[in-house]
Amino acid sequence: MPSESRMTQHLDPRSPWVISTHDLGKRPGTMRRMTLSLPAPADLGVDMIGVPKDAEVELDLRLEAVMEGVLVTGTAQTPLAGECARCLDPVTSEIEVDLQELFFYSDEDASEEDSLLDGELFDLEPTFRDAVVLALPLSPVCREECEGLCVECGVKLAEAGDDHRHEKIDARWASLQGLISDKDNDQEK
């Protein structure tokens, strides 16, 4: 038994991500399947891509009562929006993640990192957040063959064509470049 009892947060049963396990009771082996559409929570993503706030998240869940608590497994599918890491164009796609979490009945059986039931309620949002953030691409691309932007002028290389080039000047001779222009201007006068 832990030396200090953990305080559980009291969950709001009206919150869309808070799910009741009332019909499972505490009878191991009792199972229920659920299909839900929930609004995506805010601020879910990484620098370049994420889940738009309030986007529809499709959940296919299985809740099963076990000796220690309620085992939740299933999948979540949601849209993504962001920008291409190469050309900065908008990127949209979808992601499907697997969910699995054991919500313990009491903190006696659980470790510090484990999730606890609040009475008959559990909050699936943290589990969903963790699964999505771990699955997001760190450098999303609009298409695999995206060439990105020119490092010199910032133009999209896909639109610039094959003849897009910049004059390369050796840094050691760069200060002399102005002399050539000045000499040409003097001769024209």
Side-chain angles (χ1 to χ4, degrees), residues 22-43:
H22 175 74
D23 56 335
L24 294 177
K26 290 188 177 181
R27 299 180 306 272
T30 309
M31 195 257 312
R32 176 176 96 199
R33 289 198 172 274
M34 301 176 73
T35 302
L36 302 167
S37 289
L38 299 178
D43 302 322

Side-chain angles (χ1 to χ4, degrees), residues 81-158:
E83 55 187 23
C84 178
R86 295 180 189 161
C87 69
L88 304 179
D89 274 354
V91 172
T92 57
S93 64
E94 284 196 348
I95 191 170
E96 183 173 311
V97 294
D98 292 324
L99 305 173
Q100 183 171 2
E101 187 78 29
L102 177 58
F103 293 89
F104 286 85
Y105 292 126
S106 72
D107 61 356
E108 293 175 9
D109 298 326
S111 72
E112 196 64 33
E113 297 85 34
D114 291 330
S115 301
L116 294 174
L117 285 167
D118 180 10
E120 297 176 333
L121 303 175
F122 67 88
D123 186 0
L124 192 60
E125 184 181 330
T127 303
F128 172 69
R129 278 183 177 280
D130 291 347
V132 169
V133 169
L134 289 173
L136 289 175
L138 294 177
S139 298
V141 291
C142 56
R143 59 195 201 313
E144 284 302 317
E145 57 278 347
C146 177
E147 297 176 46
L149 303 175
C150 174
V151 295
E152 297 287 325
C153 65
V155 71
K156 280 189 196 175
L157 292 174

Side-chain angles (χ1 to χ4, degrees), residues 42 64 70 73 87 110 177:
E64 185 177 359
V70 176
T73 56
C87 69
Q177 194 66 19

Side-chain angles (χ1 to χ4, degrees), residues 1-21:
M1 179 176 218
S3 59
E4 224 176 277
S5 179
R6 284 189 294 177
M7 295 293 294
T8 59
Q9 62 182 7
H10 289 290
L11 301 175
D12 180 1
R14 295 168 297 188
S15 174
W17 287 88
V18 173
I19 299 172
S20 173
T21 63

